[in-house]
Amino acid sequence: MDRRSFLLTAALGALGTAPAVGAPDWAALGRGLDGRLVRPGDAGYDAARRLYNPTFDRVRPRAVAYCATPSDVAECLSFARSERVPLTPRSGGHSYAGWSTGPGLVIDVSRMNTVTYRSGLATVGAGAKLIDVYDRLHAKGVSIPAGTCPTVGIAGLTLGGGIGVVSRKYGLTCDALESVRVVTADGRVLTCDENTHSDLFWACRGGGGGNFGVAVSFTFRTHPTRDVTVFFLHWPWSKAASVVKAWQSWAPAAPDAMWSNLHLTRSSSGLDVQVGGLYLGGRAGCATLLDGLIRATGAPSSRYVVERSYTAATMIMAGCSGRTVAQCRQMPREAFVASSHLAYAKLSTAAAKELVARVARPGEHSVLIDAMGGAISRVRPDATAFPHRQALFSVQYYADGSGRAWLRGTRQAMGPHLGEHAYANYIDPDIAQWRQSYYGANAARLSAVKAAYDPGRLFAFPQGV
């Protein structure tokens, strides 16, 4: 079956044609792709089916399609519909719930990974990993606001919002988006922006990946890079609650150029309190701002404040200090479970103590708190699908693969203090009221966009819009 036949089959299916008879013709799909189809028994299948998190290695897709072009994606969608095969789009493979894979056809866009720059705009293939986006743009003296994980895919990051290390200055990743190309359920390749398919463009800025189509490329506004200052401060565990209290007042109210996070960690090395971050300016200005935090907490037990190039700072924040970009792409896989809250109000003294006590419990786990505010908060909650514009900070609960009980208990314990707001990019199958938690008042409009562009719900997963 050639490409034209696939598209015709899809069109007939949309008109109510009877279900396909017999086993799917996988060989025909493979012949119709410019990319590569990998099936069980093929060389490379074990690598093709794996996500970043080894917890999901038990999932065995019927096929993984490495799509080289938007037409490949359209062909896969047509096949999935006509053959009644469940599908899963995949960019970086970092879904916290493992929903970057499934039992049917995985549509992998990692080969569409080019990064080009012209006249202040970066066009990025949906399969590009964050480390490569940074590397190629920094060579041009520009960047985009994004996160720290080097191997996360640009697609999932952007579609869910994109909280990152310069978001207080430049906004979320989705806020820098000028346009996005999406292959919709009916096989159309749409370029969406503020004026064309504006409702889908709105939904692609915070509505979450895997809901409305398969994104194949993004065009972002860039910002110039410059030397910056990175810092890491540590305090003894006895001061953990007081550091939480002081940081949550200091960080969201700092100048936009200052981004920081607070990590409370229990590992094999013991208990640790760290405030780290990046300041878009020199060391002296950063030190002055940090002094305001230190006055409220007391002197840290260690203090590291250094001025670095933007590229070097990005590598440090990615955990890749001393590594090459190529080595950073090969960061080891990690088994974990995670969840989140988005905090619209500060924690009380009692709540801060409860959080610290939870981290001190046996096991290996962390609470990672990222400052928001600044440019994030100056966008209306309904201007994009990401609704949490007035959140002061995000709270991520993170545990090793055996820590599900700790994760559930900790999130439940903090619920009365933080409410039920959560971040779609830290997707958690245990959140019951996930529509409200992830999307708030924007949920109804997202459902309308879903109905318009995917009325047959070709794109479906347990927490799909």
Side-chain angles (χ1 to χ4, degrees):
M1 186 182 293
D2 62 17
R3 181 167 303 171
R4 183 176 300 173
S5 299
F6 271 123
L7 295 176
L8 176 59
T9 302
L12 292 173
L15 293 173
T17 303
V21 177
D25 190 347
W26 293 102
L29 175 62
R31 289 192 299 271
L33 299 179
D34 293 322
R36 181 187 176 208
L37 187 72
V38 181
R39 298 206 64 221
D42 291 347
Y45 174 76
D46 281 341
R49 68 183 178 84
R50 291 188 187 122
L51 304 183
Y52 172 75
N53 190 337
T55 301
F56 307 109
D57 281 358
R58 65 186 181 277
V59 181
R60 298 183 65 84
R62 296 176 72 182
V64 176
Y66 286 104
C67 294
T69 64
S71 294
D72 279 1
V73 173
E75 186 123 340
C76 287
L77 297 182
S78 177
F79 179 88
R81 179 192 286 107
S82 64
E83 303 292 349
R84 306 304 193 261
V85 173
L87 64 88
T88 305
R90 184 175 77 188
S91 173
H94 280 250
S95 169
Y96 280 18
W99 294 333
S100 298
T101 189
L105 173 62
V106 174
I107 299 176
D108 185 291
V109 299
S110 61
R111 293 193 177 184
M112 291 186 279
N113 59 8
T114 58
V115 180
T116 60
Y117 171 75
R118 182 177 180 182
S119 302
L121 297 177
T123 298
V124 181
K129 304 297 190 289
L130 190 55
I131 186 63
D132 293 312
V133 176
Y134 282 148
D135 181 53
R136 293 164 192 171
L137 291 183
H138 292 177
K140 304 293 186 180
V142 299
S143 194
I144 60 173
T148 57
C149 179
T151 57
V152 76
I154 192 66
L157 176 73
T158 306
L159 295 170
I163 298 172
V165 297
V166 295
S167 289
R168 302 190 70 254
K169 176 68 174 179
Y170 297 111
L172 304 175
T173 309
C174 71
D175 294 336
L177 193 62
E178 283 283 296
S179 66
V180 56
R181 294 184 77 206
V182 180
V183 185
T184 53
D186 57 6
R188 291 180 295 164
V189 183
L190 304 181
T191 299
C192 311
D193 57 28
E194 290 283 8
N195 300 310
T196 306
H197 302 290
S198 58
D199 51 347
L200 183 54
F201 182 60
W202 175 87
C204 287
R205 289 175 291 161
N211 277 313
F212 311 103
V214 180
V216 292
S217 71
F218 303 85
T219 297
F220 298 98
R221 297 183 304 277
T222 62
H223 60 261
T225 59
R226 54 160 295 171
D227 287 355
V228 299
T229 303
V230 295
F231 58 90
F232 299 97
L233 312 178
H234 294 262
W235 285 264
W237 188 252
S238 60
K239 289 198 169 187
S242 63
V243 172
V244 171
K245 287 284 288 179
W247 180 89
Q248 69 177 353
S249 294
W250 172 80
D256 292 0
M258 170 64 80
W259 174 85
S260 67
N261 59 18
L262 168 61
H263 288 188
L264 304 172
T265 303
R266 189 182 194 278
S267 69
S268 58
S269 301
L271 292 161
D272 183 56
V273 184
Q274 173 189 281
V275 171
L278 183 147
Y279 175 65
L280 294 165
R283 187 180 186 280
C286 181
T288 298
L289 290 172
L290 291 175
D291 285 344
L293 175 64
I294 291 169
R295 283 193 294 271
T297 60
S301 54
S302 68
R303 174 173 176 158
Y304 174 87
V305 185
V306 295
E307 197 167 333
R308 292 288 186 264
S309 70
Y310 204 99
T311 298
T314 299
M315 296 292 279
I316 292 170
M317 302 308 290
C320 293
S321 182
R323 293 183 172 93
T324 65
V325 169
Q327 290 170 333
C328 199
R329 291 191 200 104
Q330 303 302 317
M331 295 289 279
R333 300 165 75 217
E334 181 180 5
F336 68 92
V337 291
S339 190
S340 70
H341 274 121
L342 284 160
Y344 282 66
K346 299 173 187 175
L347 294 170
S348 66
T349 298
K353 289 180 177 179
E354 171 74 9
L355 184 63
V356 168
R358 287 274 168 178
V359 175
R361 292 187 175 192
E364 295 198 9
H365 38 247
S366 299
V367 175
L368 319 173
I369 310 177
D370 289 357
M372 295 176 66
I376 300 171
S377 66
R378 291 191 287 273
V379 177
R380 294 191 328 273
D382 63 351
T384 69
F386 181 89
H388 304 293
R389 298 295 178 168
Q390 297 308 307
L392 300 177
F393 47 87
S394 68
V395 183
Q396 181 179 185
Y397 311 102
Y398 195 93
D400 65 17
S402 64
R404 175 64 71 179
W406 176 88
L407 181 75
R408 289 170 174 161
T410 300
R411 189 179 192 279
Q412 183 177 14
M414 297 310 297
H417 307 293
L418 293 171
E420 285 304 316
H421 309 288
Y423 182 28
N425 271 355
Y426 301 154
I427 203 161
D428 176 5
D430 285 342
I431 297 177
Q433 302 300 319
W434 56 269
R435 290 180 187 273
Q436 180 65 28
S437 296
Y438 298 150
Y439 305 120
N442 291 338
R445 185 177 175 188
L446 284 168
S447 293
V449 175
K450 176 71 170 181
Y453 288 91
D454 184 20
R457 300 193 66 81
L458 184 64
F459 301 102
F461 59 96
Q463 290 182 355
V465 169

